Structure formats: structure tokens, C-alpha cells
Amino acid sequence: MAEFRRFARLAFASDTIYLGPLYFPPPLQKCTRGPSARNGGALPILAHLSTKGRLRSKTVSDQTALSFASKTAPADGVIVVFAEEGAKLTPSAQDLDKKSKGLLLRAIEITGFKGKKEQTADLLAPQGLKFPRIVLQGLGKASSYEPEDWLNLGGIVRGLLSGKEGSTAHVFLETFEGDVAPADVANFALGALLRGYKFKKYKTKARKKSASSDESNDKTLKKIVVHSADPKAATQAFAANRAIADGVTLARDLVNEPANVLGPAEFAARAKELSKAGVQVEVFGPKALEKLGMNALLAVGQGSDRPSHVAVMQWKGAGARGGDPIAFVGKGVTFDTGGISLKPAAGMEEMKGDMAGAACVVGLMQALAERKAKVDAVGIIGLVENMPSGHAQRPGDVVTSMSGQTIEVLNTDAEGRMVLADCLWYAQDRFKPKALINLATLTGAVMVALGKEHAGLFSNNEELAGRLLDAGKVTGERLWRLPLGPKYDKMIDSKVADVKNTGGKWGGSISAAQFLQRFIKEGTAWAHLDIAGTGLASPDSEINRSWGSGFGVRLLDRLVSEHYEQH
């Protein structure tokens, strides 16, 4: 990732396409060393074999089961009810207060609970009731709720449920006026699932129990039951959200994996597993990429012993009348040292996440396939590792991209744009998409401009830009549009080649976008999302406490659903 200052190996031999499941083992597992991939052999393979010689699977992240039910009183478990601003109890909360002979109202009086948004009153072992705990959660003014508010509410409630007081939690979701729409119930449930995510694959010992509800006894929470007026409709509405949650989970898992486990080949194998969901997946190894002329991408990875790959995923859900597909391209630098233009050591470990754009594309394709989206979509990910060595590209090198344009490499840490250049050209040349969107943790400069609350949006098409901005507002994965223009484009003119890969100190995220635009054909509606601040190490939110956020899956699924899917 350019200007972002702050290594077990497995590879495909040349152009082999991986066809089976792959198990990703714990770190420090012994491996058998094979011949170097540079000589056409396989690198060391890390795996655990069962007694039958088959690769065993392992759950990367666990989720609490979630279901829907009518508003009947449960026999036991933790109870969650709600109140609006002014401590106005919802019908279920009122009923519970009557059965407890005014216990909730007394708690409100003692604690000063006002029903404001994110305000909570907690009752443990309430006298005269069979429930071990009652949570009274404030809604604020529910009449003003947007979809994001219901999503965040689900995350807030899930964050309160440690499981210490019972293995099941019953949430009676309603407002002071009564029922909540099934779509809003589904958004609440999505928020709860996303907040419940934890990446614990490499935790070998149980944590000591602490006062933190986020960590202690979490495994004992087995089930969340959301009670609503129409559980059947809520279940139906949640089906698509379940698929989206699975896509976000996959993206988070990929970003959270350490780079010694998830290299270009392993990432390609993970993408190949989408074939189980009906996605057509092709994986191209170094020889195939060389034949295609993807020299810019190959130049980035030539310093690593781990060969570069490109995975092409196609979901064909639109049928005979689908027309041209919508295409998504993701940067997949599985570890970025900066290459010869080496990054400082401090913070370099975060560069295991320099493939968050590719992770989003894989998660999105998973979500589209799982929910059987009526759209034709293509996902392309360029997978490389940027390492310094005697084989690495040097500052001053000139390479010829797939488009035929020559690139002067001034900074080997401005590598992501070179990966994307070839993948973007390939997407247009082969698929001629109706819209083309790429995601990349591309520049630290975008964080200087926007912090970590918005991703940067660059586009050559007003309609596409507007659709993306709207989708960001609805999902909470917000974008901020930044400029493109001829004067910025001059910043990347080269004296010895067609273009140079960095425009200098100022406007770094803009000059990076201008570089990408050089590889967009005339007439192609294109958008670039710089997710350096949102795709990894993003701030904690109501729906995410993971280092890898899965940013972009929900955003782009919304875009597809609203504007490109057949209804």
C-alpha cells in the first residue's frame, strides 16, 4: 500500500487450478519442504490429515444461532425488552412489568433510565420472576429509525449478551406503538450476527474469565430468539441478510488470517471453494498470467517465493436476459513489505490486511450466490505478495501492462495500482461489464483526508457514483467522493514511459485513482473505492469488534439489489 508507513507456504505449480477443499492449520505446524516453485515444483504444504487421508475442515469464526418466534412468553432465558424516549415501555415490557408487580418501573425510577438511544437498564435475578436477567434497552425515537438504526440496535443488544446468565436470549422486538416491520426485524438480526463475530481460530487456550462481557463466557450463549409479530415474514426477510452476514464473515476471516497462512495460492483456493455455492471459478497461475500479458501484476510479486495468481469468479443468476455483467475487482496483496521501497518496521504487521479489497469481492460473490441473486456478476482478484529480494522489481524499472501501456516504477510500495491495472483491463477486455467497481486498500493518503469513517470514492460516471453514495448511506458503509481531473492526471506523466506509478507527495489518493483511470476504456462506467481506512484496523462499531471489518460486502450487495438485479 503506497505511503502506508507504519511472513508455512503453499503454492500452485505454475497454472494448476485447485479443485478441492483446503484446510488452514494453526501456526508453527511442521511442514515438509519441497522443491522451489521457481523450478516448477510445489512449495511446502501445510495440512492436517484425518485417518482416511482427507483434509479436515475447521471453523474459523463461530456464530450464535439465531431464530424468530411469536411474542409468547418463554419458559426461561435472558429477556430483552425495549422502551422509547420518555421511558415509554413497549407492550411486552409493560406486560413484563405487570407480571413482576412494577419491577421495571421501579428500576427506571432508581436508575434514571429515560429510554434514550443506547441507554440500558439491567436487572439481574429479578425477584418473583423465573428469568435470570432482564435487559431494558432504550430506543430513543423509534419513529425516526432508518435501516441502519435497526442494524446498529441489533449490534448493541448482541454486545450486551455475554451468555453468563443463560444459554438463550429472548428479544421482544417492538416499539411503543407496537409491531416492527419484518424488514426491520431482519436488519436487527443482521446487526446481531455481525456483532457476534469473533476470529478465534488461533486461540489454543480458553481465556480466563474476566469482567468484560465481550470476552467472558461467550461460548455459553447458544441461541438468540427474536420475537416479533410475524416471525414467518421476518424469517423470509432475513434469508437474504443471512447470506450477506455469511459474505461479511468470509471477508473478515480472510482479512484476519496471518500472511504465513494465507498467501496468493491459499487465497485463490479459498475463492475456488465458492464453486460449491454455484460460482464458476477460474484460477490463473504465473504462466497463464504471463501469456495474458499481466506483466504489471507479475512485476509486483516477482520478489516473492510465493507465485502470483488471479482468480476469476462468475455468478450467473440473471438467466437468458441478463446482458452484460457487473464486475468487481479487488486488490489482493496478501502481504506488503513495500518491496525494495521497504516500509518501516513499526506497524508492518498490519499489511497482512492489504488484501481487504479482494476479501470483499470474494465475500460479495459468496453473498450473491447464497441468496441466489438474479444478476450476472463477475469478481476478479489479483493475488500477489510484495517482497524484497534479488528477484524483486526496482525503482526505475519499466514494465508493460496488459493494456500495452508502459509503467515507470518509481516506488515499489505503490504496488496495488499495478495489480489493479491488469485486472481492470482484463475485466473490460473479456466481460465488457455494464459497470466496473474496484476496491483496494490503496493509499494511506485517503486516511489523511477522510480518517476511518468513510472510504474514498472516485468515479468517471455520475449515475454510478450517486448509486454508490446512496448505498453507503443506507448500509452505514459510507463513502465520500473525491475529485478526478486533467491537472491531477498530469501528476503521473512519465518522462520515460506512458505513466509512472506515483504522483508525488500531494494528493496521493487522487493520483492513485488517476493512475487506475488510465486503464479504463472509454465508455466504461467505473468507480474506485479506496478502503485503506475502513477495510482493516477500522474503529469499533455497534456491529463490528473485529480487526478485519468486511467493509464493502453490504455496500455492494445493496448496490446490486437496488440497481442491477432483476426483480
Side-chain angles (χ1 to χ4, degrees):
M1 187 194 307
E3 302 152 11
F4 194 68
R5 300 291 179 175
R6 289 271 301 161
F7 254 67
R9 299 186 300 178
L10 169 69
F12 299 117
S14 300
D15 303 307
T16 303
I17 296 179
Y18 183 83
L19 298 175
L22 182 64
Y23 169 72
F24 294 92
L28 303 180
Q29 176 66 25
K30 292 181 180 179
C31 60
T32 305
R33 190 167 184 84
S36 168
R38 292 190 181 280
N39 297 324
L43 288 172
I45 296 178
L46 292 178
H48 283 188
L49 294 175
S50 69
T51 54
K52 296 183 180 180
R54 297 180 63 185
L55 289 164
R56 292 186 282 131
S57 63
K58 180 178 180 179
T59 301
V60 174
S61 57
D62 50 359
Q63 294 281 4
T64 301
L66 191 148
S67 61
F68 301 88
S70 61
K71 293 190 285 186
T72 55
D76 54 20
V78 175
I79 303 297
V80 182
V81 290
F82 299 88
E84 291 202 40
E85 194 166 316
K88 296 188 291 186
L89 298 177
T90 62
S92 292
Q94 293 175 32
D95 185 58
L96 188 60
D97 184 63
K98 290 177 182 178
K99 290 179 179 178
S100 66
K101 299 180 180 180
L103 186 61
L104 267 65
L105 289 177
R106 290 199 301 274
I108 288 171
E109 183 180 358
I110 293 169
T111 62
F113 177 85
K114 302 296 184 183
K116 293 183 179 180
K117 206 172 185 181
E118 300 185 18
Q119 191 177 20
T120 304
D122 212 341
L123 291 77
L124 294 175
Q127 186 176 1
L129 295 175
K130 54 191 174 182
F131 309 117
R133 180 188 180 198
I134 297 174
V135 177
L136 179 59
Q137 177 63 44
L139 293 172
K141 296 180 180 180
S143 59
S144 65
Y145 268 33
E146 299 290 341
E148 184 186 1
D149 294 301
W150 293 109
L151 181 84
N152 288 337
L153 180 63
I156 290 169
V157 170
R158 177 62 182 89
L160 297 170
L161 302 174
S162 67
K164 288 190 290 186
E165 299 84 11
S167 62
T168 302
H170 296 271
V171 181
F172 287 81
L173 188 60
E174 55 192 356
T175 68
F176 177 72
E177 299 295 332
D179 299 337
V180 174
D184 294 328
V185 177
N187 275 331
F188 174 93
L190 175 59
L193 278 188
L194 295 178
R195 175 62 179 267
Y197 173 92
K198 286 183 175 67
F199 187 78
K200 299 188 289 187
K201 179 178 176 181
Y202 299 102
K203 297 286 188 181
T204 59
K205 296 180 181 179
R207 282 179 176 265
K208 292 182 179 180
K209 298 177 182 179
S210 68
S212 170
S213 63
D214 233 17
E215 291 292 345
S216 60
N217 288 310
D218 186 65
K219 290 184 178 179
T220 64
L221 185 63
K222 303 299 183 184
K223 185 189 300 184
I224 298 175
V225 182
V226 181
H227 297 260
S228 66
D230 192 343
K232 183 177 180 180
T235 301
Q236 292 172 344
F238 182 64
N241 281 4
R242 170 74 73 177
I244 295 168
D246 290 343
V248 174
T249 295
L250 175 56
R252 289 177 177 178
D253 284 347
L254 290 168
V255 175
N256 284 323
E257 281 284 1
N260 64 314
V261 174
L262 192 72
E266 293 91 345
F267 202 135
R270 293 289 283 268
K272 189 66 183 175
E273 289 180 357
L274 295 188
S275 59
K276 300 173 185 177
V279 179
Q280 297 178 17
V281 185
E282 303 164 89
V283 174
F284 301 119
K287 289 185 178 180
L289 298 177
E290 188 175 353
K291 290 178 182 178
L292 287 169
M294 289 194 177
N295 300 312
L297 181 149
L298 289 170
V300 174
Q302 71 188 37
S304 174
D305 288 338
R306 308 171 87 170
S308 302
H309 290 75
V310 167
V312 179
M313 299 158 281
Q314 297 183 66
W315 168 249
K316 299 181 178 180
R321 299 182 180 181
D324 295 330
I326 181 170
F328 304 93
V329 174
K331 169 190 169 183
V333 181
T334 59
F335 195 78
D336 182 20
T337 67
I340 298 298
S341 305
L342 191 67
K343 297 178 183 289
M348 193 192 288
E349 71 280 358
E350 292 193 349
M351 291 299 94
K352 73 173 188 175
D354 206 16
M355 31 58 73
C360 171
V361 172
V362 175
L364 173 66
M365 297 302 291
Q366 161 75 25
L368 295 178
E370 187 175 330
R371 69 176 184 82
K372 307 297 181 186
K374 295 180 180 179
V375 67
D376 288 347
V378 174
I380 299 173
I381 54 175
L383 305 170
V384 303
E385 184 178 62
N386 187 21
M387 300 287 282
S389 75
H391 299 282
Q393 66 174 343
R394 298 153 292 263
D397 283 1
V398 175
V399 298
T400 303
S401 68
M402 184 181 180
S403 71
Q405 296 178 76
T406 54
I407 304 169
E408 181 187 10
V409 181
L410 294 186
N411 188 327
T412 64
D413 195 22
E415 85 298 335
R417 64 201 71 183
M418 296 177 65
V419 173
L420 290 172
D422 281 345
C423 290
L424 287 168
W425 193 264
Y426 179 84
Q428 296 167 92
D429 199 45
R430 177 176 174 183
F431 296 106
K432 299 172 176 56
K434 62 181 71 174
L436 176 60
I437 301 162
N438 71 261
L439 303 93
T441 49
L442 206 62
T443 67
V446 80
M447 287 187 283
V448 175
L450 302 177
K452 287 176 166 282
E453 301 300 331
H454 289 73
L457 165 64
F458 303 83
S459 183
N460 65 357
N461 184 278
E462 295 297 322
E463 183 178 56
L464 178 58
R467 289 173 173 180
L468 282 163
L469 288 167
D470 289 343
K473 292 175 183 177
V474 173
T475 60
E477 296 193 324
R478 289 178 170 79
L479 308 174
W480 193 268
R481 194 171 182 186
L482 294 167
L484 294 168
K487 291 187 177 180
Y488 291 115
D489 193 63
K490 289 181 180 179
M491 296 167 63
I492 55 172
D493 285 340
S494 168
K495 294 182 179 179
V496 300
D498 296 323
V499 62
K500 58 186 180 182
N501 76 331
T502 179
K505 182 177 181 180
W506 307 116
S509 59
I510 300 174
S511 60
Q514 291 288 169
F515 178 93
L516 297 180
Q517 193 175 25
R518 295 274 185 115
F519 300 88
I520 301 300
K521 296 182 179 182
E522 186 176 352
T524 300
W526 161 76
H528 158 54
L529 307 183
D530 193 334
I531 63 170
T534 56
L536 57 97
S538 56
D540 286 347
S541 71
E542 290 87 348
I543 61 171
N544 180 49
R545 297 300 168 98
S546 166
W547 187 82
S549 67
F551 183 95
V553 175
R554 294 186 298 112
L555 168 81
L556 297 179
D557 181 87
R558 177 76 182 190
L559 174 76
V560 169
S561 177
E562 288 293 305
H563 300 290
Y564 298 97
E565 192 168 351
Q566 297 179 1
H567 295 286

